[in-house]
Amino acid sequence: MSSVIHVLDEKTANKIAAGEVVERPASAIKEMIENALDAGATAIETEIADGGQTYMRVSDNGCGMSPEDAKKCIIRHGTSKISTIEDIFAISSLGFRGEAVPSIAAVSNLVITTRMEGDEFAYRLTLTGGDITGEEQTGAAVGTTMEVSDLFFNTPARKKFMKSERTETSKINDILTKLALARPDVAFTLINNGRTSVHTGGNGNALDAVAAVYGAAVAKEVFPVSYSNDEITVEGFVGKPSLLKSTRAWQTCIVNNRIIHNAVVFKAVENAYHAMLPKAGYPFALLHIHIDPAVIDINVHPAKTEIKFSDEQQVYRAIYHSIITSLTEREKPEQVATPIDLTSRQITKAELNAPAVTPSAFAFSEAGRAGVKETVPARNDLSHEYRPLQHDTRTPYRPDPAVRDCAAGNAFSAFMEERDAARPVQTITFDGDEDVFIPLGVVADCFIVAKKGQDLYLIDQHAAHERIRYDKLCKRTEALPSQQLLTAEFVEVDGRDMELFAERAHVFADLGYTYSEAGPTTLRIEAIPADLPVGDISESLQEICRILHESPMTDKAVLRHRSLAYLSCRGAVKAGDVLNMREIRELLEELFHTETPYVCPHGRPVIVRFTPDELAKLFKRT
């Protein structure tokens, strides 16, 4: 009986192995840059075309290779990093398997040009599908240049899984920027289709690297972290709780100069920020961890991004305490808190006397402050909009002397005076009960106290207004009404989010956003959902992107619900906003005209009821 088991030829084996190391162009770029760093390079230039699918080049000023070593580096498991199995437990280099260059060569056309210090000429080696097709002497600076063209030309099954040029470029950009953050002492340059898109100075200052990668505005919002004991050292930067992203794109963990992904690290970051985040999202974190190589295992996957720690609890505690210490040692709360813009223009008498207006038309509305043009038709009844004035959370609003002739002291009260004169005041009833629902006051500028019959009620004013706004938005057309911006707003987004904006523009259009691309990572916002404050544009878009990243196949109805819930929250009365009794009565009247007044769109309770028996138990009278 003949044997059915046979040994694969070297070329086939190399192509199969290449699939583990080179998943996409970004994988090849990562491997080539890591080799350049291991060679001692202080400047690395990367050039790509068509997302790296047709051309990639990585040039460095490292030590270079001799012609003999250049030929050995294309042989699988040919490496200068280790010699024996024991060396794996003390690895300080980024590469050590000797698989990267052979894997890249096996699935592309590769040209290696290299020269060592002291050599008169550089050596150029040309390969096609892993086979040497040419070698020659040439002129070149000290260092190594690797040029890759037609990636996966001989493995069409792999090539068909490549994404769009934008997606592949974004992946390369992510890899290169994280490597730049890991090595601020090295100058990195990325040239995309002839344009320089990334450049870092390489001066060794980590904060300068953050500014070069994410912008000066982000660099101003981060704090240094530092922790050290005999076994582990943690250093780097973390951001304010308000500095959030819809993905983990702004979270980078580096262990002994190697970029890694580890669930324990991410969990430590999330738990350190627990209860500090104003909304869902991922905070900024750049962490450099220095630890004995003997207590980690990087030989988990050929890509070398996964890592195992012998003592995960030690790593968790170090990261957790370093972040907690950084966030809590700020001298003033405002160093961590999100700044609030309290500026607004004054109301003119012409605006106060204008006929047939709604509260959203007054100067104190977010639309008025932002200078936007409403495209939603105005209506004369208050059911169109309920929007008490926004102001400081502790200091009650005081009208300007120029408008003190307004009977109630503010524009909202003036509007209500006019409305009440035109129609009788309605009696608020509850569940059809004829007992009058009577507001008694407010506790902590947040909880409305009221009674109906013998029962006592507490109503969360923010949750109540959320429910009102949500119900009104739900009754509108399928596509949310939008408001055209008089002046376009520009929003910076990361590469992954930009993919969503390009590929799912119809989704954002249904939610009220109109935009165009103004750059590789810049959106020009032309229209936004009605009543969305301009200052919340970036945050609202991040929230939608976060939902889509979490579940790319999110049902349209679910996405609409979560977007409406977000918009309802952003435009609602906040805890700390001072409401007068007239505004409280109007809020309660509108609340009990909603379908489900007991719960807000996020599922939190709006109303808490205390019966006489429950109150008696609280006072131990039963």
Side-chain angles (χ1 to χ4, degrees):
M1 183 176 179
S2 61
S3 174
V4 296
I5 297 177
H6 60 276
V7 179
L8 294 174
D9 63 87
E10 183 178 354
K11 183 172 291 188
T12 301
N14 284 346
K15 288 182 181 179
I16 294 173
E20 292 185 310
V21 179
V22 186
E23 299 178 2
R24 60 195 329 144
S27 305
I29 291 289
K30 173 180 176 292
E31 297 293 347
M32 290 188 287
I33 292 179
E34 287 184 345
N35 280 341
L37 293 172
D38 285 340
T42 59
I44 301 174
E45 183 176 271
T46 303
E47 183 176 5
I48 62 173
D50 301 321
Q53 298 180 67
T54 58
Y55 182 77
M56 294 181 284
R57 172 180 63 84
V58 174
S59 301
D60 67 69
N61 64 348
C63 63
M65 295 181 287
S66 66
E68 181 182 2
D69 284 341
K71 291 180 180 179
K72 286 183 178 179
C73 81
I74 62 173
I75 301 174
R76 188 161 300 280
H77 305 308
T79 180
S80 62
K81 316 298 173 58
I82 63 173
S83 299
T84 65
I85 186 63
E86 287 76 16
D87 294 339
I88 293 180
F89 302 103
I91 292 176
S92 58
S93 60
L94 297 176
F96 62 91
R97 289 172 173 266
E99 290 184 315
V101 177
S103 295
I104 296 170
V107 293
S108 70
N109 296 316
L110 175 65
V111 177
I112 302 174
T113 304
T114 184
R115 177 184 164 217
M116 297 183 68
E117 184 74 36
D119 287 353
E120 186 175 358
F121 295 100
Y123 173 71
R124 176 173 292 166
L125 186 65
T126 304
L127 302 98
T128 300
D131 297 328
I132 297 177
T133 57
E135 51 182 316
E136 61 180 336
Q137 289 185 333
T138 187
V142 173
T144 300
T145 295
M146 290 195 173
E147 296 177 272
V148 179
S149 58
D150 300 322
L151 186 66
F152 301 132
F153 80 96
N154 56 354
T155 53
R158 171 71 64 176
K159 190 178 184 69
K160 72 178 182 179
F161 284 101
M162 291 297 96
K163 303 297 184 182
S164 65
E165 177 184 343
R166 179 191 300 278
T167 299
E168 298 302 337
T169 299
S170 175
K171 299 293 184 183
I172 292 172
N173 186 84
D174 289 345
I175 286 292
L176 189 137
T177 54
K178 288 187 180 295
L179 287 166
L181 294 172
R183 292 294 302 274
D185 59 321
V186 177
F188 288 85
T189 302
L190 174 61
I191 302 172
N192 176 25
N193 291 328
R195 286 182 50 191
T196 300
S197 58
V198 176
H199 179 72
T200 63
N203 61 2
N205 188 311
L207 191 58
D208 287 348
V210 171
V213 170
Y214 298 123
V218 172
K220 293 178 181 178
E221 300 293 304
V222 301
F223 309 118
V225 297
S226 181
Y227 176 90
S228 182
N229 59 31
D230 293 338
E231 290 82 26
I232 187 171
T233 298
V234 179
E235 56 187 4
F237 298 92
V238 294
K240 290 182 179 181
S242 57
L243 194 64
L244 301 178
K245 208 63 170 168
S246 59
T247 66
R248 295 189 189 277
W250 281 1
Q251 292 185 357
T252 305
C253 181
I254 301 143
V255 177
N256 296 348
N257 292 326
R258 182 187 305 278
I259 299 167
I260 63 99
H261 297 280
N262 182 271
V264 171
V265 172
F266 292 136
K267 190 65 177 177
V269 174
E270 290 176 6
N271 287 352
Y273 275 90
H274 179 67
M276 293 185 185
L277 301 182
K279 61 181 180 61
Y282 300 98
F284 178 95
L286 170 60
L287 303 174
H288 287 261
I289 300 174
H290 304 281
I291 194 170
D292 185 355
V295 300
I296 61 175
D297 182 7
I298 60 175
N299 192 30
V300 178
H301 188 275
K304 304 184 292 296
T305 57
E306 298 178 22
I307 192 171
K308 289 185 177 180
F309 298 98
S310 61
D311 187 352
E312 290 186 337
Q313 286 301 312
Q314 177 195 53
V315 176
Y316 177 93
R317 288 192 298 269
I319 295 172
Y320 180 86
H321 289 299
S322 66
I323 296 176
I324 286 291
T325 300
S326 176
L327 292 175
T328 57
E329 72 180 1
R330 302 298 107 192
E331 295 180 359
K332 299 179 181 179
E334 55 266 28
Q335 291 180 305
V336 175
T338 305
I340 300 175
D341 182 11
L342 300 176
T343 60
S344 63
R345 67 183 179 87
Q346 295 180 346
I347 303 176
T348 66
K349 287 187 176 181
E351 289 171 321
L352 286 175
N353 297 326
V357 294
T358 64
S360 61
F362 289 110
F364 287 96
S365 70
E366 294 292 350
R369 286 208 297 270
V372 299
K373 180 174 62 179
E374 291 278 0
T375 58
V376 181
R379 291 164 52 185
N380 288 339
D381 62 283
L382 195 58
S383 63
H384 168 68
E385 178 71 77
Y386 173 86
R387 196 183 189 92
L389 302 178
Q390 303 295 309
H391 43 70
D392 183 73
T393 59
R394 291 299 172 192
T395 305
Y397 170 73
R398 294 293 180 265
D400 185 89
V403 294
R404 281 182 183 164
D405 56 342
C406 175
N410 62 54
F412 184 82
S413 297
F415 172 81
M416 293 180 63
E417 292 279 2
E418 294 178 7
R419 192 208 67 163
D420 291 344
R423 72 177 191 183
V425 177
Q426 297 178 351
T427 299
I428 302 172
T429 60
F430 194 50
D431 286 343
D433 196 326
E434 295 301 321
D435 291 339
V436 178
F437 200 96
I438 305 173
L440 304 176
V442 182
V443 176
D445 291 333
C446 180
F447 305 104
I448 298 171
V449 183
K451 63 167 294 202
K452 185 180 77 74
Q454 297 299 311
D455 296 340
L456 179 71
Y457 293 85
L458 294 179
I459 299 98
D460 185 324
Q461 66 183 36
H462 172 69
H465 198 200
E466 270 190 304
R467 168 50 61 184
I468 294 168
R469 288 175 54 81
Y470 178 82
D471 277 23
K472 289 178 180 176
L473 287 172
C474 283
K475 292 177 181 177
R476 291 177 175 175
T477 56
E478 182 67 17
L480 294 184
S482 64
Q483 53 191 15
Q484 194 74 27
L485 297 176
L486 295 179
T487 303
E489 292 287 322
F490 292 88
V491 175
E492 289 295 320
V493 299
D494 65 27
R496 287 194 64 199
D497 287 354
M498 185 62 88
E499 295 173 32
L500 290 177
F501 291 118
E503 297 171 2
R504 308 190 71 171
H506 63 285
V507 174
F508 290 92
D510 287 343
L511 297 175
Y513 297 90
T514 301
Y515 54 80
S516 59
E517 293 186 33
T521 59
T522 306
L523 283 180
R524 184 179 186 271
I525 309 299
E526 297 153 358
I528 59 177
D531 304 323
L532 176 69
V534 170
D536 291 335
I537 293 176
S538 178
E539 186 177 304
S540 66
L541 291 173
Q542 286 185 32
E543 174 69 9
I544 298 171
C545 289
R546 186 184 66 81
I547 296 169
L548 293 174
H549 284 309
E550 288 178 353
S551 181
M553 302 305 293
T554 299
D555 181 80
K556 185 176 180 179
V558 173
L559 180 62
R560 178 180 169 84
H561 158 71
R562 295 180 66 173
S563 298
L564 290 181
Y566 175 85
L567 292 173
S568 300
C569 176
R570 299 307 297 175
V573 173
K574 302 296 187 294
D577 286 346
V578 181
L579 305 183
N580 60 39
M581 290 302 294
R582 183 177 294 275
E583 293 168 340
I584 291 171
R585 286 196 298 270
E586 183 66 19
L587 179 65
L588 296 181
E589 180 182 335
E590 297 252 348
L591 175 65
F592 292 117
H593 280 87
T594 64
E595 295 180 359
T596 52
Y598 307 101
V599 64
C600 82
H602 299 96
R604 294 191 301 107
V606 175
I607 304 169
V608 176
R609 183 181 69 170
F610 294 90
T611 65
D613 289 342
E614 290 168 338
L615 290 173
K617 289 179 182 178
L618 291 175
F619 287 97
K620 301 187 182 299
R621 297 179 62 88
T622 58

